[in-house]
Amino acid sequence: MTSVFEQIIERGHERICFHHDRKTGLRAIIAIHSTRLGNALGGTRRWYYPTEADALFDVLRLSEGMTFKAAAAGLPMGGAKSVVLLPESGFRSTEAEARAMGRFVDTFSGAYIAAEDVGVDTQYVDWMAMETKHVMGGLKVSHGGDPSPFTAQGVVNAMKAALIHRGRTADFKGVTVAIQGAGNVGRNVARILTAGGATVIMADINQANLDLAVKQSNVQVVPTDKILSTQCDILSPCALGGVITSVNARNLHCKFLIPGANNVLMDPDEDAATLRGMGITYVPDFVANAGGLIHLAGLYLGMTEPQLARKLAEIETTSLEILRDADANSSTTYAAAVRLVHKRLEEGPQKLKSADTVHSR
């Protein structure tokens, strides 16, 4: 079994901290992957993990993804993530638990800024904010609100880039999109796409979310075990990660894979190569779904509304840059995106800040 230190070293993490709060029973992990470009922002995920090893794996891969996401978006921010380990699936959140998590976040003195993720809403963030100022995404105590509409818009921007790259127009009329997951991100993606004339097919294990998507956007519904193999132009997994493998990738019937979820490829190097061999255009998730991070990080950094809008729009141009680089170097789009990330990490935060100054003039 790989040790904790081996996993941290392999992924290049700076710091990982385990925490238990005796009064509430809170068990949580915070992983800071990199502060090379700035303080590290990343969501807090409440989830039931069968084992502690599963929780550790999740927080390490997600925090690394946040470093990639911030760098690819050109933000002077680092990458981190936290997970709250639930005693059972569906365990309800409480103010006491959230405040205990807020106190844990506060021990990092701003090196880690928490935000919303799966299982956490704006109320939970506001409860956390009663104990720390280092949290984004609340409505009353913290600020920023629900980032999912911005995540969804970024995903749609990446879809536009992929269409353009394949010689099509950035127009969704006549385009069929299959979305796995009818949560906040998936429903917002569906709303934007149907308003633009697309046909949207969805699946979700949560019937209430699915019913809401049907009511809001008149989407078509298929069983959850059929959504990944549905015939469509664009497939957009917007649930949890690891849903695409080199095995089931061969059952995809899409031209484009544009994720709203994080870490959708089980093995990014191998699976991205499989997709390329199948002729499927893939925009890596840490590029496509960066809109929520851009919104919250931008507010944290003091960006104006026009600056935030420009940053969100840049997801389209960044996606195009990566797609073209992959073609030029006969590589996968994942490899091209990682090259961009490493370039920005090597250049450091001053390069990003000076670029923003030039753009804002």
Side-chain angles (χ1 to χ4, degrees):
M1 181 178 177
T2 307
S3 72
V4 174
F5 273 113
E6 287 173 325
Q7 293 182 68
I8 292 173
I9 293 167
E10 180 182 355
R11 292 183 180 271
H13 280 73
E14 294 178 5
R15 185 180 179 191
I16 183 167
C17 187
F18 295 77
H19 178 69
H20 174 248
D21 181 71
R22 291 182 180 274
K23 186 174 182 180
T24 63
L26 170 76
R27 294 184 304 149
I29 308 171
I30 292 176
I32 295 182
H33 180 259
S34 173
T35 54
R36 165 67 176 155
L37 297 180
N39 291 347
L41 189 150
T44 297
R45 174 169 293 191
R46 295 183 74 254
W47 195 251
Y48 169 69
Y49 296 97
T51 69
E52 290 179 9
D54 292 327
L56 178 62
F57 174 77
D58 205 28
V59 78
L60 289 177
R61 72 188 180 98
L62 289 169
S63 53
E64 181 183 36
M66 293 306 293
T67 295
F68 283 24
K69 192 178 295 191
L75 292 166
M77 300 288 294
K81 207 79 173 185
S82 58
V83 294
V84 173
L85 289 71
L86 303 186
E88 60 186 28
S89 182
F91 189 76
R92 293 187 64 180
S93 62
T94 64
E95 178 180 340
E97 177 200 283
R99 293 185 69 162
M101 187 62 191
R103 290 191 294 274
F104 180 28
V105 170
D106 204 56
T107 64
F108 286 78
S109 303
Y112 169 56
I113 303 104
E116 178 185 336
D117 201 274
V118 176
V120 169
D121 56 15
T122 54
Q123 176 61 81
Y124 195 95
V125 169
D126 275 336
W127 282 333
M128 291 173 67
M130 295 171 74
E131 301 289 345
T132 181
K133 64 181 180 180
H134 308 299
V135 61
M136 296 290 296
L139 291 174
K140 297 178 180 178
V141 185
S142 176
H143 71 293
D146 176 13
S148 60
F150 303 94
T151 301
Q153 185 60 61
V155 172
V156 172
N157 290 349
M159 290 178 180
K160 292 178 180 178
L163 289 170
I164 292 169
H165 183 68
R166 291 279 286 263
R168 301 169 65 165
T169 61
D171 185 341
F172 293 104
K173 290 180 181 178
V175 174
T176 299
V177 183
I179 301 175
Q180 181 193 46
N184 289 340
V185 172
R187 289 200 312 275
N188 276 295
V189 171
R191 172 184 55 80
I192 297 168
L193 291 175
T194 53
T199 297
V200 174
I201 304 168
M202 296 190 81
D204 196 296
I205 58 174
N206 186 315
Q207 190 61 45
N209 284 347
L210 201 55
D211 291 342
L212 186 56
V214 172
K215 181 179 179 181
Q216 291 177 337
S217 305
N218 194 31
V219 302
Q220 299 176 25
V221 175
V222 298
T224 54
D225 62 346
K226 302 293 184 184
I227 190 67
L228 294 179
S229 58
T230 293
Q231 188 80 38
C232 58
D233 295 297
I234 303 173
L235 175 63
S236 184
C238 292
L240 295 176
V243 296
I244 304 296
T245 69
S246 58
V247 176
N248 70 11
R250 302 185 187 281
N251 298 322
L252 301 182
H253 295 95
C254 60
K255 301 178 181 69
F256 308 92
L257 178 64
I258 317 293
N262 293 319
N263 305 108
V264 296
L265 302 187
M266 182 62 73
D267 183 326
D269 291 310
E270 180 181 349
D271 301 340
T274 299
L275 294 171
R276 184 172 185 269
M278 295 175 62
I280 296 174
T281 299
Y282 166 58
V283 177
D285 43 68
F286 60 85
V287 177
N289 67 20
L293 171 67
I294 289 170
H295 176 68
L296 294 181
L299 291 175
Y300 176 83
L301 293 167
M303 289 185 182
T304 63
E305 288 298 326
Q307 288 174 319
L308 285 170
R310 176 176 58 77
K311 271 292 181 190
L312 188 59
E314 282 178 6
I315 289 179
E316 181 177 337
T317 54
T318 301
S319 297
L320 267 172
E321 177 184 346
I322 288 166
L323 293 171
R324 290 166 178 166
D325 178 66
D327 282 354
N329 289 281
S330 299
S331 74
T332 67
T333 52
Y334 176 77
V338 170
R339 282 196 293 273
L340 174 63
V341 166
H342 286 165
K343 176 176 178 288
R344 288 180 172 170
L345 288 172
E346 289 170 7
E347 290 173 343
Q350 288 308 122
K351 179 79 171 182
L352 296 177
K353 290 174 181 177
S354 62
D356 275 338
T357 302
V358 170
H359 284 306
S360 63
R361 285 176 183 170

